[in-house]
Amino acid sequence: MLTLEHISITFNANTPDENKALRDINLNIKKGDFITVIGSNGAGKSTLYNVIAGTLKPTAGSIFLTADENAEPKNITNDAEYKRARYIGRIFQNPLLGTAGKMSLEDNMMICYKKGFKGLKISLNNKMRDYFREQLRVLNMGLENRLGDNVDQFSGGQRQALTLLMAVMSKPSLLLLDEHTAALDPTNAEIVMNLTRRFAEDYKLTVMMVTHNMQHALDFGNRLLMMNKGEIISDIQGEEKKQLTMDSIVELFKKIKVNNDNVLLN
């Protein structure tokens, strides 16, 4: 579905501040994958997301997207972020970034709905409002009765749940979740994570989820990537992923620390 071939990115190349943020990344994301991504600060997780979303252009390497299983892979390496937004959705840690606060709920939903039906002219009418209410009931937050309210009147948890729903409605080929519950209180974080699981299963989404919550890394997805110093050092899939425990993840982190310490000593 999405393939990264020999992706590298270097900041401040050939200077004393040179930083190799990604180092020869090779990754094949298959349709229907739910990939959790872990790693310490500075491991390269955000840079990887920025390269996939088109926010950053890689120094080397290529990115290919196969939006339809019958289509030929398309090289999107040089596609701008706004072009990739048609098929790659992204939800950030800040709940305020995914919605337009000064616009009504129904207008926010209409914009995303149109994005999912590219090229079609769709009008906001009573039939469409009924459809939006039906979708919003899934959130179980009472938002189906607030279509005319501006989104900035909603809580952070409501806005992040709404952002997730709108992302699903836009029918992305790939959904990037960038620590999307980190800024929420535990109750709302649990609600959004339960919705994440439900939407991923019901809509057969392809998802990548960066998280610092190791329990989420264990409980969600069929693949787990661990990153360190700009490299993918583990790609654990299928039955092996199901057998992972908190202790085994801790051991992986310990190995990283030992290796890093050895590098510093040499």
Side-chain angles (χ1 to χ4, degrees):
M1 200 282 294
L2 189 79
T3 302
L4 281 65
E5 295 184 355
H6 303 292
I7 293 293
S8 296
I9 187 164
T10 302
F11 300 118
N12 304 312
N14 302 315
T15 75
D17 297 321
E18 181 175 286
N19 175 21
K20 295 182 178 180
L22 294 179
R23 303 166 184 257
D24 197 32
I25 295 288
N26 291 285
L27 177 65
N28 181 32
I29 302 168
K30 298 180 287 292
K31 185 174 176 58
D33 270 346
F34 191 133
I35 303 173
T36 54
V37 185
I38 62 174
S40 57
N41 291 333
K45 305 183 299 296
S46 293
T47 305
L48 177 63
Y49 266 31
N50 285 333
V51 167
I52 292 173
T55 310
L56 291 172
K57 184 177 178 180
T59 308
S62 302
I63 304 173
F64 297 91
L65 175 76
T66 307
D68 186 289
E69 60 183 22
N70 297 318
E72 290 294 321
K74 177 186 176 185
N75 190 326
I76 63 169
T77 311
N78 296 315
D79 283 5
E81 183 176 13
Y82 76 89
K83 289 185 178 181
R84 295 192 203 182
R86 291 178 293 179
Y87 37 81
I88 297 177
R90 187 173 183 179
I91 300 179
F92 294 90
Q93 183 180 133
N94 186 343
L96 307 186
L97 294 179
T99 49
K102 296 301 180 183
M103 295 176 62
S104 68
L105 171 54
E106 62 184 21
D107 284 340
N108 271 270
M109 294 187 74
M110 193 65 185
I111 290 171
C112 264
Y113 189 76
K114 285 183 176 180
K115 180 182 172 186
F117 289 85
K118 305 163 186 67
L120 296 181
K121 291 184 177 180
I122 305 171
S123 300
L124 179 58
N125 51 35
N126 288 335
K127 182 179 180 180
M128 189 60 62
R129 290 185 178 95
D130 288 342
Y131 172 74
F132 290 161
R133 290 189 186 98
E134 180 184 345
Q135 300 303 307
L136 288 164
R137 287 190 185 97
V138 175
L139 304 183
N140 197 28
M141 292 179 166
L143 296 182
E144 64 271 18
N145 302 315
R146 302 183 65 181
L147 283 178
D149 290 351
N150 283 1
V151 172
D152 62 5
Q153 299 177 34
F154 302 160
S155 70
Q158 288 172 324
R159 289 184 71 164
Q160 198 69 323
L162 175 61
T163 298
L164 181 61
L165 174 63
M166 288 165 52
V168 172
M169 288 175 60
S170 70
K171 300 183 178 181
S173 298
L174 173 65
L175 181 60
L176 303 175
L177 304 176
D178 198 350
E179 296 188 69
H180 67 310
T181 63
L184 304 179
D185 62 81
T187 299
N188 279 307
E190 183 177 4
I191 290 171
V192 171
M193 288 306 302
N194 287 336
L195 288 169
T196 300
R197 187 193 301 276
R198 177 174 178 176
F199 288 150
E201 293 175 353
D202 289 352
Y203 294 93
K204 296 179 173 57
L205 299 176
T206 304
V207 180
M208 289 185 72
M209 182 179 76
V210 167
T211 182
H212 278 105
N213 186 313
M214 292 302 102
Q215 195 61 54
H216 289 167
L218 286 174
D219 294 344
F220 286 78
N222 64 305
R223 290 175 70 180
L224 183 144
L225 300 183
M226 177 176 281
M227 297 190 67
N228 182 52
K229 290 190 172 182
E231 298 179 321
I232 296 173
I233 61 170
S234 292
D235 182 356
I236 303 169
Q237 308 183 30
E239 287 301 316
E240 186 181 3
K241 166 71 165 59
K242 292 179 182 178
Q243 299 303 317
L244 278 178
T245 65
M246 192 67 71
D247 287 343
S248 59
I249 290 182
V250 169
E251 285 302 313
L252 284 173
F253 274 108
K254 284 182 179 178
K255 288 180 181 178
I256 290 174
K257 185 179 187 307
V258 168
N259 290 338
N260 287 348
D261 287 346
N262 287 338
V263 169
L264 291 174
L265 290 171
N266 289 335

